[in-house]
CSV table of all heavy atoms in Angstrom, one decimal:
chain,number,residue,atom,x,y,z
A,1,VAL,N,-14.1,133.0,-76.1
A,1,VAL,CA,-14.5,133.1,-74.7
A,1,VAL,C,-15.6,132.0,-74.4
A,1,VAL,O,-16.5,131.8,-75.2
A,1,VAL,CB,-15.0,134.5,-74.4
A,1,VAL,CG1,-15.9,134.5,-73.1
A,1,VAL,CG2,-13.9,135.4,-74.2
A,2,LEU,N,-15.4,131.3,-73.3
A,2,LEU,CA,-16.4,130.3,-72.8
A,2,LEU,C,-17.0,130.8,-71.5
A,2,LEU,O,-16.5,131.6,-70.7
A,2,LEU,CB,-15.7,129.0,-72.5
A,2,LEU,CG,-15.0,128.3,-73.7
A,2,LEU,CD1,-14.4,127.0,-73.2
A,2,LEU,CD2,-15.9,128.1,-74.8
A,3,PHE,N,-18.2,130.4,-71.3
A,3,PHE,CA,-19.0,130.6,-70.1
A,3,PHE,C,-19.1,129.3,-69.3
A,3,PHE,O,-19.3,128.3,-69.8
A,3,PHE,CB,-20.4,131.1,-70.4
A,3,PHE,CG,-20.5,132.5,-70.9
A,3,PHE,CD1,-21.7,133.0,-71.4
A,3,PHE,CD2,-19.4,133.4,-70.9
A,3,PHE,CE1,-21.9,134.3,-71.8
A,3,PHE,CE2,-19.6,134.7,-71.4
A,3,PHE,CZ,-20.8,135.1,-71.8
A,4,LYS,N,-18.9,129.5,-68.0
A,4,LYS,CA,-19.0,128.4,-67.1
A,4,LYS,C,-20.1,128.7,-66.0
A,4,LYS,O,-20.0,129.7,-65.3
A,4,LYS,CB,-17.7,128.1,-66.4
A,4,LYS,CG,-17.8,127.0,-65.3
A,4,LYS,CD,-16.4,126.6,-64.8
A,4,LYS,CE,-15.8,127.7,-64.0
A,4,LYS,NZ,-14.5,127.2,-63.3
A,5,ALA,N,-21.1,127.9,-65.9
A,5,ALA,CA,-22.2,128.2,-65.0
A,5,ALA,C,-21.9,127.6,-63.6
A,5,ALA,O,-21.6,126.5,-63.5
A,5,ALA,CB,-23.5,127.5,-65.5
A,6,GLU,N,-21.9,128.6,-62.6
A,6,GLU,CA,-21.7,128.1,-61.2
A,6,GLU,C,-23.1,127.9,-60.7
A,6,GLU,O,-23.7,128.8,-60.0
A,6,GLU,CB,-21.0,129.2,-60.4
A,6,GLU,CG,-20.5,128.8,-59.0
A,6,GLU,CD,-21.5,129.2,-57.9
A,6,GLU,OE1,-22.3,130.1,-58.1
A,6,GLU,OE2,-21.5,128.6,-56.9
A,7,ALA,N,-23.7,126.8,-61.1
A,7,ALA,CA,-25.1,126.5,-60.7
A,7,ALA,C,-25.0,125.2,-59.8
A,7,ALA,O,-25.0,124.1,-60.3
A,7,ALA,CB,-25.9,126.2,-62.0
A,8,ILE,N,-25.0,125.5,-58.5
A,8,ILE,CA,-25.0,124.4,-57.6
A,8,ILE,C,-26.4,124.1,-57.2
A,8,ILE,O,-27.0,124.6,-56.2
A,8,ILE,CB,-24.1,124.7,-56.3
A,8,ILE,CG1,-22.7,125.2,-56.8
A,8,ILE,CG2,-24.0,123.5,-55.4
A,8,ILE,CD1,-22.0,124.3,-57.7
A,9,VAL,N,-27.1,123.4,-58.1
A,9,VAL,CA,-28.5,123.2,-58.0
A,9,VAL,C,-28.9,121.7,-58.0
A,9,VAL,O,-28.0,120.9,-58.2
A,9,VAL,CB,-29.3,123.9,-59.1
A,9,VAL,CG1,-29.0,125.4,-59.0
A,9,VAL,CG2,-28.8,123.4,-60.5
A,10,GLY,N,-30.1,121.4,-57.9
A,10,GLY,CA,-30.5,120.0,-57.9
A,10,GLY,C,-30.3,119.3,-59.3
A,10,GLY,O,-30.3,120.0,-60.3
A,11,PRO,N,-30.2,118.0,-59.3
A,11,PRO,CA,-30.0,117.3,-60.6
A,11,PRO,C,-31.0,117.6,-61.7
A,11,PRO,O,-30.6,117.7,-62.9
A,11,PRO,CB,-30.0,115.8,-60.2
A,11,PRO,CG,-29.7,115.8,-58.7
A,11,PRO,CD,-30.3,117.1,-58.2
A,12,GLN,N,-32.2,117.8,-61.3
A,12,GLN,CA,-33.2,118.1,-62.3
A,12,GLN,C,-33.1,119.4,-63.0
A,12,GLN,O,-33.6,119.7,-64.1
A,12,GLN,CB,-34.7,117.9,-61.7
A,12,GLN,CG,-35.0,119.0,-60.8
A,12,GLN,CD,-34.5,118.9,-59.4
A,12,GLN,OE1,-33.7,117.9,-59.1
A,12,GLN,NE2,-34.8,119.7,-58.5
A,13,ASP,N,-32.5,120.4,-62.3
A,13,ASP,CA,-32.3,121.7,-62.8
A,13,ASP,C,-31.0,122.0,-63.5
A,13,ASP,O,-30.8,122.9,-64.3
A,13,ASP,CB,-32.5,122.8,-61.7
A,13,ASP,CG,-33.8,122.8,-61.1
A,13,ASP,OD1,-34.8,122.8,-61.8
A,13,ASP,OD2,-33.9,122.7,-59.8
A,14,LEU,N,-30.0,121.1,-63.3
A,14,LEU,CA,-28.6,121.4,-63.7
A,14,LEU,C,-28.5,121.3,-65.2
A,14,LEU,O,-27.8,122.2,-65.8
A,14,LEU,CB,-27.7,120.3,-63.0
A,14,LEU,CG,-26.2,120.6,-63.2
A,14,LEU,CD1,-25.8,122.0,-62.8
A,14,LEU,CD2,-25.4,119.5,-62.4
A,15,PRO,N,-29.0,120.3,-66.0
A,15,PRO,CA,-28.7,120.3,-67.4
A,15,PRO,C,-29.1,121.5,-68.2
A,15,PRO,O,-28.6,121.9,-69.2
A,15,PRO,CB,-29.5,119.1,-67.9
A,15,PRO,CG,-29.6,118.2,-66.7
A,15,PRO,CD,-29.7,119.1,-65.5
A,16,ALA,N,-30.2,122.2,-67.7
A,16,ALA,CA,-30.6,123.5,-68.4
A,16,ALA,C,-29.5,124.5,-68.5
A,16,ALA,O,-29.6,125.3,-69.4
A,16,ALA,CB,-31.8,124.0,-67.6
A,17,TYR,N,-28.5,124.5,-67.6
A,17,TYR,CA,-27.5,125.5,-67.6
A,17,TYR,C,-26.5,125.2,-68.8
A,17,TYR,O,-25.7,126.1,-69.1
A,17,TYR,CB,-26.8,125.6,-66.3
A,17,TYR,CG,-27.6,126.2,-65.3
A,17,TYR,CD1,-28.5,125.5,-64.5
A,17,TYR,CD2,-27.6,127.6,-65.1
A,17,TYR,CE1,-29.4,126.1,-63.6
A,17,TYR,CE2,-28.5,128.2,-64.2
A,17,TYR,CZ,-29.4,127.4,-63.5
A,17,TYR,OH,-30.2,128.1,-62.6
A,18,LEU,N,-26.5,124.0,-69.4
A,18,LEU,CA,-25.7,123.7,-70.6
A,18,LEU,C,-26.6,123.7,-71.8
A,18,LEU,O,-26.1,123.5,-72.9
A,18,LEU,CB,-25.1,122.3,-70.4
A,18,LEU,CG,-23.9,122.3,-69.4
A,18,LEU,CD1,-23.4,120.9,-69.2
A,18,LEU,CD2,-22.8,123.3,-69.7
A,19,GLY,N,-27.9,123.9,-71.6
A,19,GLY,CA,-28.8,124.2,-72.8
A,19,GLY,C,-29.8,123.0,-73.0
A,19,GLY,O,-29.4,121.9,-73.4
A,20,GLN,N,-31.0,123.4,-72.9
A,20,GLN,CA,-32.1,122.4,-73.3
A,20,GLN,C,-33.1,123.2,-74.1
A,20,GLN,O,-33.3,124.4,-74.0
A,20,GLN,CB,-32.8,121.9,-72.0
A,20,GLN,CG,-31.9,120.9,-71.2
A,20,GLN,CD,-32.6,120.3,-70.0
A,20,GLN,OE1,-33.2,121.0,-69.3
A,20,GLN,NE2,-32.5,119.0,-69.8
A,21,GLY,N,-33.9,122.4,-75.0
A,21,GLY,CA,-34.9,123.0,-75.8
A,21,GLY,C,-34.3,124.1,-76.6
A,21,GLY,O,-33.3,124.0,-77.3
A,22,GLU,N,-35.0,125.3,-76.6
A,22,GLU,CA,-34.6,126.4,-77.5
A,22,GLU,C,-33.2,126.9,-77.1
A,22,GLU,O,-32.6,127.6,-77.9
A,22,GLU,CB,-35.6,127.5,-77.4
A,22,GLU,CG,-35.8,128.2,-76.0
A,22,GLU,CD,-36.8,129.3,-76.0
A,22,GLU,OE1,-37.0,129.9,-77.0
A,22,GLU,OE2,-37.4,129.5,-74.9
A,23,HIS,N,-32.7,126.6,-75.9
A,23,HIS,CA,-31.4,127.1,-75.5
A,23,HIS,C,-30.3,126.0,-75.7
A,23,HIS,O,-29.2,126.2,-75.3
A,23,HIS,CB,-31.4,127.5,-74.0
A,23,HIS,CG,-32.5,128.5,-73.7
A,23,HIS,ND1,-32.5,129.7,-74.3
A,23,HIS,CD2,-33.5,128.5,-72.8
A,23,HIS,CE1,-33.5,130.4,-73.8
A,23,HIS,NE2,-34.1,129.7,-72.9
A,24,HIS,N,-30.6,124.9,-76.4
A,24,HIS,CA,-29.7,123.8,-76.6
A,24,HIS,C,-28.4,124.3,-77.2
A,24,HIS,O,-28.3,124.9,-78.3
A,24,HIS,CB,-30.3,122.8,-77.5
A,24,HIS,CG,-29.4,121.6,-77.7
A,24,HIS,ND1,-29.5,120.4,-76.9
A,24,HIS,CD2,-28.5,121.3,-78.6
A,24,HIS,CE1,-28.7,119.5,-77.3
A,24,HIS,NE2,-28.0,120.0,-78.4
A,25,GLY,N,-27.3,124.2,-76.4
A,25,GLY,CA,-26.0,124.6,-76.9
A,25,GLY,C,-25.8,126.0,-77.1
A,25,GLY,O,-24.8,126.5,-77.7
A,26,LYS,N,-26.6,126.9,-76.5
A,26,LYS,CA,-26.6,128.3,-76.7
A,26,LYS,C,-26.4,129.1,-75.4
A,26,LYS,O,-26.5,130.3,-75.4
A,26,LYS,CB,-27.8,128.8,-77.4
A,26,LYS,CG,-28.0,128.2,-78.8
A,26,LYS,CD,-29.3,128.7,-79.4
A,26,LYS,CE,-29.5,128.1,-80.8
A,26,LYS,NZ,-30.8,128.6,-81.4
A,27,VAL,N,-26.1,128.4,-74.3
A,27,VAL,CA,-26.0,129.1,-73.0
A,27,VAL,C,-24.5,128.9,-72.5
A,27,VAL,O,-23.6,129.3,-73.2
A,27,VAL,CB,-27.1,128.7,-72.0
A,27,VAL,CG1,-28.4,129.4,-72.4
A,27,VAL,CG2,-27.3,127.2,-72.0
A,28,SER,N,-24.4,128.3,-71.4
A,28,SER,CA,-23.0,128.1,-70.8
A,28,SER,C,-22.4,126.9,-71.6
A,28,SER,O,-23.0,126.0,-71.9
A,28,SER,CB,-23.0,127.9,-69.3
A,28,SER,OG,-23.4,129.0,-68.7
A,29,ASP,N,-21.1,127.0,-71.7
A,29,ASP,CA,-20.3,125.9,-72.3
A,29,ASP,C,-19.9,124.9,-71.3
A,29,ASP,O,-19.6,123.7,-71.7
A,29,ASP,CB,-19.1,126.5,-73.0
A,29,ASP,CG,-19.4,127.6,-73.9
A,29,ASP,OD1,-19.8,127.3,-75.1
A,29,ASP,OD2,-19.3,128.8,-73.5
A,30,LEU,N,-19.7,125.3,-70.0
A,30,LEU,CA,-19.3,124.4,-69.0
A,30,LEU,C,-20.2,124.6,-67.8
A,30,LEU,O,-20.8,125.7,-67.6
A,30,LEU,CB,-17.9,124.8,-68.5
A,30,LEU,CG,-16.8,124.8,-69.6
A,30,LEU,CD1,-15.5,125.6,-69.1
A,30,LEU,CD2,-16.4,123.4,-70.0
A,31,ALA,N,-20.3,123.6,-67.0
A,31,ALA,CA,-21.1,123.7,-65.7
A,31,ALA,C,-20.5,122.7,-64.7
A,31,ALA,O,-20.0,121.6,-65.1
A,31,ALA,CB,-22.6,123.4,-66.0
A,32,TYR,N,-20.6,123.0,-63.5
A,32,TYR,CA,-20.1,122.2,-62.4
A,32,TYR,C,-20.9,120.9,-62.2
A,32,TYR,O,-22.2,121.0,-62.1
A,32,TYR,CB,-20.0,123.0,-61.1
A,32,TYR,CG,-18.9,124.0,-61.0
A,32,TYR,CD1,-19.2,125.3,-61.2
A,32,TYR,CD2,-17.6,123.6,-60.7
A,32,TYR,CE1,-18.2,126.3,-61.1
A,32,TYR,CE2,-16.6,124.5,-60.6
A,32,TYR,CZ,-16.9,125.9,-60.8
A,32,TYR,OH,-15.9,126.8,-60.7
A,33,HIS,N,-20.3,119.8,-62.2
A,33,HIS,CA,-21.0,118.6,-61.9
A,33,HIS,C,-20.9,118.3,-60.4
A,33,HIS,O,-20.2,117.5,-59.8
A,33,HIS,CB,-20.4,117.4,-62.6
A,33,HIS,CG,-21.3,116.2,-62.8
A,33,HIS,ND1,-22.2,115.9,-61.8
A,33,HIS,CD2,-21.4,115.3,-63.8
A,33,HIS,CE1,-22.9,114.8,-62.3
A,33,HIS,NE2,-22.4,114.5,-63.5
A,34,ASN,N,-21.7,119.2,-59.6
A,34,ASN,CA,-21.7,119.1,-58.2
A,34,ASN,C,-22.2,117.7,-57.7
A,34,ASN,O,-21.7,117.2,-56.7
A,34,ASN,CB,-22.7,120.2,-57.6
A,34,ASN,CG,-22.7,120.2,-56.1
A,34,ASN,OD1,-21.7,120.4,-55.5
A,34,ASN,ND2,-23.9,120.0,-55.6
A,35,GLY,N,-23.1,117.1,-58.4
A,35,GLY,CA,-23.6,115.8,-58.0
A,35,GLY,C,-22.5,114.8,-58.0
A,35,GLY,O,-22.5,113.9,-57.1
A,36,LEU,N,-21.6,114.8,-59.0
A,36,LEU,CA,-20.5,113.8,-59.0
A,36,LEU,C,-19.7,114.0,-57.8
A,36,LEU,O,-19.3,113.0,-57.1
A,36,LEU,CB,-19.7,113.9,-60.2
A,36,LEU,CG,-18.5,113.0,-60.4
A,36,LEU,CD1,-19.0,111.5,-60.4
A,36,LEU,CD2,-17.7,113.3,-61.6
A,37,MET,N,-19.3,115.2,-57.4
A,37,MET,CA,-18.5,115.5,-56.2
A,37,MET,C,-19.1,114.9,-55.0
A,37,MET,O,-18.5,114.2,-54.2
A,37,MET,CB,-18.2,117.0,-56.1
A,37,MET,CG,-17.3,117.4,-54.9
A,37,MET,SD,-18.1,117.7,-53.4
A,37,MET,CE,-19.0,119.2,-53.8
A,38,VAL,N,-20.4,115.2,-54.8
A,38,VAL,CA,-21.2,114.8,-53.6
A,38,VAL,C,-21.2,113.2,-53.6
A,38,VAL,O,-20.9,112.6,-52.5
A,38,VAL,CB,-22.6,115.3,-53.6
A,38,VAL,CG1,-23.5,114.6,-52.6
A,38,VAL,CG2,-22.6,116.8,-53.4
A,39,GLN,N,-21.4,112.6,-54.7
A,39,GLN,CA,-21.5,111.1,-54.7
A,39,GLN,C,-20.1,110.5,-54.5
A,39,GLN,O,-20.1,109.4,-53.9
A,39,GLN,CB,-22.1,110.7,-56.0
A,39,GLN,CG,-23.6,111.1,-56.2
A,39,GLN,CD,-24.5,110.6,-55.2
A,39,GLN,OE1,-24.2,109.6,-54.5
A,39,GLN,NE2,-25.6,111.2,-55.0
A,40,VAL,N,-19.0,111.1,-54.9
A,40,VAL,CA,-17.7,110.6,-54.5
A,40,VAL,C,-17.6,110.4,-53.0
A,40,VAL,O,-17.2,109.3,-52.5
A,40,VAL,CB,-16.6,111.5,-55.1
A,40,VAL,CG1,-15.2,111.1,-54.5
A,40,VAL,CG2,-16.5,111.3,-56.6
């Protein structure tokens, strides 16, 4: 089973949903790249 974070947040907050620091690689496996969609 995989987790996908529906985190439509600012660029500075987004990477944390895929894991930073002590949560590196231990939270959601997928996250929406909302910023890419907006920039398209």
